DNA sequence: ACCAGATATAGACAGGCGTCGATATGTCGG
DNA sequence: CCGACATATCGACGCCTGTCTATATCTGGT
């Protein structure tokens, strides 16, 4: 999907007009959030009691195949929204609040 | 694109896990923001001195055809992010801050 | 009435993306 | 070592979406 790490790129879109490059970068970021599976993964990671989730535990609740879940986790990790922690053969993920904050800030206020 | 009016649908994704339906609705909303042309239209509307923009004035700056611009304006209007004001043969648009606030709230805090 | 301007609609095309099954890679336990 | 488990990668398929040209619709002025 051509995912890039989400970085602060511009003033809130309520403040001033975006350049072509800025709008492209922001659009890429929002595209990461534009899939229901990824949003659920993100919310499940945040809602987890321990603050982290294991990839294998997500396949059943999401009703998607293991490769599909793995794919979406990679997209979220590439964007910096999830931090991957490999422990032996298991992959654990925890959310990175600062990345979400970047997008929230881009929406104004 | 199956665009629906953006409405408050759920607690911030930082607070609790999303249901399948909630994640689908949120994903639809973010999909509207996942295109650079639409983000620019939105920011141009907000940055306009008078607080509104005319469709015809957006074709040249965006470098897209008139039908393409018209299409994206419709998507934004269907989502409720822009309010359409038809004046004779001209179409004027003004941003609706509350819709953006809904998405900002969904990102937490 | 007519013409020019502004916008919307229709249809077509290409590229992108989510999804899957099959398979590879890597890891732990016995 | 070897088998079971966890995850990643590959290749393919189908749908969705952004884009265009061409055309229709509507409005305002002359």
């Amino acid at each position: 999907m051509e995912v890039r790490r989400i970085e602060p790129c511009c003033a809130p879109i309520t403040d001033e007009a975006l350049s072509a490059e800025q709008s492209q970068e922001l659009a890429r970021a929002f595209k990461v959030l534009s899939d229901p599976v990824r949003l659920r993964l993100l919310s499940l990671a945040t809602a987890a009691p321990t603050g982290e989730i294991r990839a294998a535990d997500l396949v059943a609740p999401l009703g998607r195949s293991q490769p599909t879940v793995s794919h979406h986790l990679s997209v979220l990790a590439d964007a910096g929204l999830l931090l991957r922690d490999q422990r032996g053969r298991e992959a654990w993920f925890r959310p990175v609040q600062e990345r979400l904050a970047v997008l929230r800030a881009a929406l104004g206020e």
Side-chain angles (χ1 to χ4, degrees), chain A residues 21-87:
Chain A
E21 294 75 22
Q22 288 171 332
S23 62
Q24 189 171 356
E25 183 172 350
L26 247 191
R28 255 195 304 263
F30 282 122
K31 196 169 288 185
V32 176
L33 297 184
S34 72
D35 179 90
V37 173
R38 286 195 287 270
L39 283 179
R40 278 195 100 184
L41 287 173
L42 207 52
S43 70
L44 284 170
T46 316
T50 65
E52 61 181 359
I53 49 175
R54 195 174 60 118
D57 297 331
L58 298 165
V59 175
L62 286 187
R64 301 293 147 102
S65 71
Q66 176 268 321
T68 295
V69 171
S70 175
H71 165 66
H72 287 304
L73 285 171
S74 288
V75 170
L76 288 167
D78 289 349
L81 288 166
L82 289 183
L83 193 65
R84 163 178 274 126
D85 182 18
Q86 195 80 27
R87 299 183 202 157

Side-chain angles (χ1 to χ4, degrees), chain A residues 87-105:
Chain A
R87 299 183 202 157
R89 56 185 168 186
E90 301 181 344
W92 291 78
F93 296 87
R94 60 175 60 246
V96 182
Q97 303 292 348
E98 300 75 40
R99 291 288 168 282
L100 270 188
V102 168
L103 294 181
R104 206 183 320 131

